[in-house]
Amino acid sequence: MFDITSQAVQDTAAIHLKGADGEHLYSDGKPVRIVIYGPGSKQFAAIEARQTNRAVKRMQDNDGKVSVASPEQRSNEQAEDLADLTVALENFTYPPAAGAQGKELFKALYADITLGFIPQQIMKAVKDWGNFKPGSTGN
């Protein structure tokens, strides 16, 4: 019999970042990565619940009609959600947030419009269960 638990995913994965040109980034020969929680984690489930609650609240505030958040609000919410999914930055710094650590640092990075290719990569990677399979490179 096949043991289906052999397919279980890990809670986190290190995602190797690409630059705006699509090339993988390295620092002194080491991959530039962001470690994130994946779709099988409690942290991811909490973010999904928060996103659903936001949508329901917007609808309630708009007399039951679907409404979309402003671009600024969407950007802020995305940065907050991604910051909560982020465990660590590996082999790079973000000087504009000098002195910041943890969620504050991560949120500042994700909110930086000039680095908008980074949140896009993380949003794509977090939806790919294969990135969280044991032994995956997270690319």
Side-chain angles (χ1 to χ4, degrees):
M1 276 292 190
F2 181 74
D3 177 4
I4 195 66
T5 61
S6 67
Q7 299 300 300
V9 296
Q10 299 174 335
D11 279 350
T12 63
I15 306 303
H16 191 167
L17 294 180
K18 294 179 181 178
D21 60 1
E23 297 294 322
H24 279 107
L25 300 173
Y26 294 90
S27 175
D28 297 325
K30 298 176 187 172
V32 170
R33 306 188 306 183
I34 296 179
V35 180
I36 57 171
Y37 288 107
S41 69
K42 291 177 184 176
Q43 292 82 354
F44 185 88
I47 297 302
E48 282 190 320
R50 183 167 69 202
Q51 290 171 341
T52 300
N53 289 339
R54 283 181 191 139
V56 169
K57 182 173 181 348
R58 273 195 286 275
M59 205 159 111
Q60 288 172 337
D61 292 347
N62 197 30
D63 296 325
K65 296 175 187 151
V66 176
S67 66
V68 179
S70 69
E72 297 81 18
Q73 186 177 4
R74 281 186 54 226
S75 177
N76 187 51
E77 289 172 355
Q78 175 183 284
E80 184 176 333
D81 291 346
L82 290 175
D84 282 344
L85 287 177
T86 301
V87 177
L89 308 179
E90 294 184 346
N91 304 315
F92 75 100
T93 61
Y94 181 62
Q101 295 181 6
K103 183 179 176 179
E104 182 183 355
L105 169 62
F106 307 149
K107 187 175 178 182
L109 171 68
Y110 293 128
D112 186 337
I113 192 76
T114 66
L115 295 172
F117 57 91
I118 293 175
Q120 285 184 350
Q121 288 176 63
I122 299 303
M123 287 186 308
K124 181 179 177 187
V126 77
K127 293 176 187 175
D128 183 349
W129 285 78
N131 287 329
F132 299 88
K133 186 173 178 174
S136 170
T137 58
N139 286 333

